[in-house]
């Protein structure tokens, strides 16, 4: 999408298929348009058709004396109550209205009463991109025409241009994550993810992409990861994306994504109901891909490494069985009590592998446990960390981006649930605190790291309407932008 900045002038002269006016309740007492437009809005307000309440929209099919073909009124609510979340909601309503009317271009006025211009510009650019997303990869019909051109009526200074670039890149990164998540499992395999990573690497001379095959992983001792792919004909891949945007000596931020492209549960097979949604079990990997797309697009002045542990989890005569003991790259042995607790098995080897980059910090992202959905629902990702200061940075990034997380406990008292008589550690800790014990399992492999774990099982996709959300790309990118400042 073409998104540009244009200094606001007389609104009546702004040519566009639709002029979008986000208005607070206070604006209705001192309207920003010309006399003809103001008179029309005043009549609508008096008649009760528009009140300025949050996310309210009203399309005017024409307005005399305006160069724009239409005017879309968008309510922001009381000026003092407008925050990033309510502004996003209003902007989303505006873009939905534009989509309903099948408009290809629009101009949006930045409202001086709320937030900062930069915050509004970034939000509008991000939401314009995500609002344009349509899934058609496995459909016979083509995508419906969407918004192609967006003008943001604001001064085009350096800060505004930076906000525009960031918002658009994050929106595109979210869409990358959504698209990968939505692809069916027979389209999006570990090999497909590796191909997508290599394609991204060809777009940037700052990005080096390496793909480790099963032979190399076996040589490295990744018995835990390989135990998950044992039952599938699709070979596992460890995908490593090294972005060098900062000084060579600067320690990188490392993102590790769980990439189970389909999870049947293995021998501990899942119930059939909603098993189709297990194509979303690679949304952690998808979020890493989305973030790396945005990082390269913005050419951030930091070093970032993205690692994706990609595998299928299927039953066969070669599949890992409950009770089997496998040896991880770290040398720790693991009793696999349940083959459906496979995400932690691929992540632990990927986390051990991440140590070779001497990272400043490591974040793993995974659709890890149904227990996290029970605990937090669809609103917040579960956040676990071995460093409270690091956790606070991620929580703050989640608040600023609107992609929120909640700090969960990682207490030593839970570790005993992972005791095993036959290995150093069991891969499940029983029915109590399932999300916590999963994080405790991963913590056994991160003792040399500043580490955080994001359990996105509740936030990565929705069941109704079904589709990937692209979370937590927003949180990850806000954190990385903070690191680059």
């Amino acid at each position: 999408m073409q998104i540009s900045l244009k200094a606001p002038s007389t609104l009546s002269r702004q040519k566009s298929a639709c002029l979008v006016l986000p208005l607070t309740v206070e604006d209705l007492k001192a309207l920003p348009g010309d006399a003809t437009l103001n008179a029309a809005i005043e009549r609508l307000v008096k008649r009760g058709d528009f009140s300025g309440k949050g996310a309210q929209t009203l399309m005017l099919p024409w307005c005399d004396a305006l160069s724009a073909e239409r005017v879309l009124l968008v309510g922001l609510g009381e000026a003092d109550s407008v925050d990033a979340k309510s502004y996003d909601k209003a902007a989303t309503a505006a873009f939905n209205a534009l989509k309903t009317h099948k408009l290809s271009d629009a101009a949006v006025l930045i409202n001086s009463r709320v937030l900062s211009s930069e915050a509004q510009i970034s939000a509008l650019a991000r939401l314009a991109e995500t609002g344009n997303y349509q899934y058609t990869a496995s459909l016979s019909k083509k995508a419906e025409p969407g918004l192609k051109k967006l003008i943001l009526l604001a001064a085009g200074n350096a800060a505004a241009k930076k906000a525009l670039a960031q918002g658009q890149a994050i929106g595109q990164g979210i869409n990358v994550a959504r698209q990968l998540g939505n692809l069916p499992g027979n389209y999006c395999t570990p090999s497909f993810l590796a191909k997508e990573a290599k394609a991204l690497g060809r777009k940037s001379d700052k990005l080096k992409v390496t793909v480790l095959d099963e032979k190399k992983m076996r040589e490295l001792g990744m018995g835990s990861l390989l135990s998950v792919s044992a039952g599938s004909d699709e070979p596992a891949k460890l995908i490593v994306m090294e972005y060098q945007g900062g000084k060579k000596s600067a320690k990188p931020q490392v993102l590790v994504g769980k990439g189970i492209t389909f999870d049947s549960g293995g021998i501990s097979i899942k119930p059939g109901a909603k098993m189709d949604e297990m194509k979303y079990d690679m949304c952690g990997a998808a979020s890493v891909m989305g973030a790396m797309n945005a990082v390269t697009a913005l050419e951030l002045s930091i070093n970032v490494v993205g690692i994706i542990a990609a595998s299928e989890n299927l039953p066969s005569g070669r599949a890992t069985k409950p009770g089997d003991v496998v040896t991880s790259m770290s040398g720790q042995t693991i009793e696999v009590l349940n083959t459906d607790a496979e995400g932690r098995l691929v992540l632990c080897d990927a986390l051990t592998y991440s140590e070779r980059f001497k990272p400043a910090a490591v974040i793993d992202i995974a659709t890890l446990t149904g227990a996290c959905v029970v605990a937090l629902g669809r609103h917040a990702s579960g956040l676990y960390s071995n460093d409270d200061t690091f956790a606070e940075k991620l929580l703050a990034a989640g608040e600023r981006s609107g992609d929120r997380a909640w700090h969960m406990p990682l207490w030593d008292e839970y570790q005993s649930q992972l005791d095993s008589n036959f290995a150093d550690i069991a891969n499940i800790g029983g029915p109590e605190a399932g999300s916590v014990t999963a994080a405790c399992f991963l913590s056994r492999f991160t003792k040399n790291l500043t580490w955080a774990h994001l359990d996105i099982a509740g936030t990565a996709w929705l069941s109704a309407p079904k589709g990937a959300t692209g979370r937590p790309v927003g949180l990850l990118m806000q954190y990385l932008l903070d690191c680059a400042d």
Side-chain angles (χ1 to χ4, degrees), residues 11 21 30-38 41:
L11 292 181
L21 299 180
L31 291 164
D34 68 3
T36 303
L37 176 59
N38 289 352
I41 296 174

Side-chain angles (χ1 to χ4, degrees), residues 21-28 41 44-45 48-58 73-79 81-82 90:
L21 299 180
L23 301 171
T24 66
V25 172
E26 290 82 354
D27 286 322
L28 300 182
I41 296 174
L44 292 167
V45 172
D49 293 332
F50 186 76
S51 65
K53 70 179 181 180
Q56 181 186 21
T57 62
L58 181 64
L73 306 181
V74 183
L76 295 174
E78 301 281 350
S81 66
V82 178

Side-chain angles (χ1 to χ4, degrees), residues 361-430:
V362 177
I363 307 167
D364 79 68
I365 311 101
T367 51
L368 207 62
T369 65
C372 194
V373 186
V374 174
L376 298 175
R378 299 291 177 183
H379 303 291
S381 300
L383 170 64
Y384 298 84
S385 181
N386 59 10
D387 186 307
D388 285 346
T389 301
F390 181 39
E392 287 299 324
K393 291 179 181 178
L394 292 172
L395 290 170
E399 290 293 334
R400 288 198 299 279
S401 64
D403 191 350
R404 300 168 77 185
W406 186 257
H407 200 174
M408 301 282 281
L410 191 64
W411 301 334
D412 287 341
E413 288 88 335
Y414 292 103
Q415 292 282 358
S416 61
Q417 291 179 229
L418 296 170
D419 289 347
S420 166
N421 292 333
F422 307 106
D424 298 330
I425 183 174
N427 80 320
I428 57 171

